Amino acid sequence: MIHEILPVGPLQCNCSVVGDEASREAMVIDPGDDIEDVLALVRKHNLQVKQIVITHAHIDHVGGAMKLKAVTGAPILLNENDYELLKMLDTQAAWIGMRSPGEVTIDQSVKQADTLQAGSLSADVLHTPGHTEGSICLYFSAEKKLIAGDTLFAGSIGRTDLPGGSMKKIINSLHGKLLALPDETVVVPGHGPLTTIGEERESNPFLIKP
Ligand SMILES: [Zn+2]
């Protein structure tokens, strides 16, 4: 598995470029910004981007999607429960003092238990509402790797005070779906350093049961 993680944009969203070494087919997850740098990684590994996957419709995760699509022709995938939030990109841009990326159009909705493929690589879609209604995580079971979006961070969890957020739902998602994964699963959060499910089960203050 080829896997490059590039923090992009002012909020340093972790953009993942995941590729199959044999077929060179790839998916890009959360191309929030800095698309020239993302494309440089794609070219460095001689990859063909087949899918652009958005973990949730916050501007720092989706802002560069249309630019990447224009170059690669790859479809943009997002869970439909975040379509409303996607219509608010101008408002989101104003919150953080960014320029709006303009309209982003989604080619396909992805939902719980869908499987996304790039060559021989396969990722299960986990619908994990809480940070937003349509938040998803991608679980590469063969590699035991989780792309967590803003649902889980090293030592923390996603904020739930923005529109569509719910503390009750994120806790349900974390306990019901993410903590069900093996301890050795490597977690790539939407921001900040990597961690593992075991480490978070053990020490994340939001997940330890009293
Ligand atoms: Zn977010």
Side-chain angles (χ1 to χ4, degrees), residues 106-142:
I106 301 303
D107 297 286
Q108 195 191 319
S109 176
V110 281
K111 58 181 192 308
Q112 173 68 25
D114 279 354
T115 303
L116 302 181
Q117 248 132 7
S120 64
L121 297 174
S122 175
D124 300 324
V125 175
L126 308 176
H127 180 214
T128 52
H131 176 62
T132 67
E133 277 291 338
S135 283
I136 59 163
C137 298
L138 292 188
Y139 179 53
F140 293 85
S141 57

Side-chain angles (χ1 to χ4, degrees), residues 56 58 60-61 131 150:
H56 64 289
H58 280 157
D60 51 324
H61 295 256
H131 176 62
D150 285 359

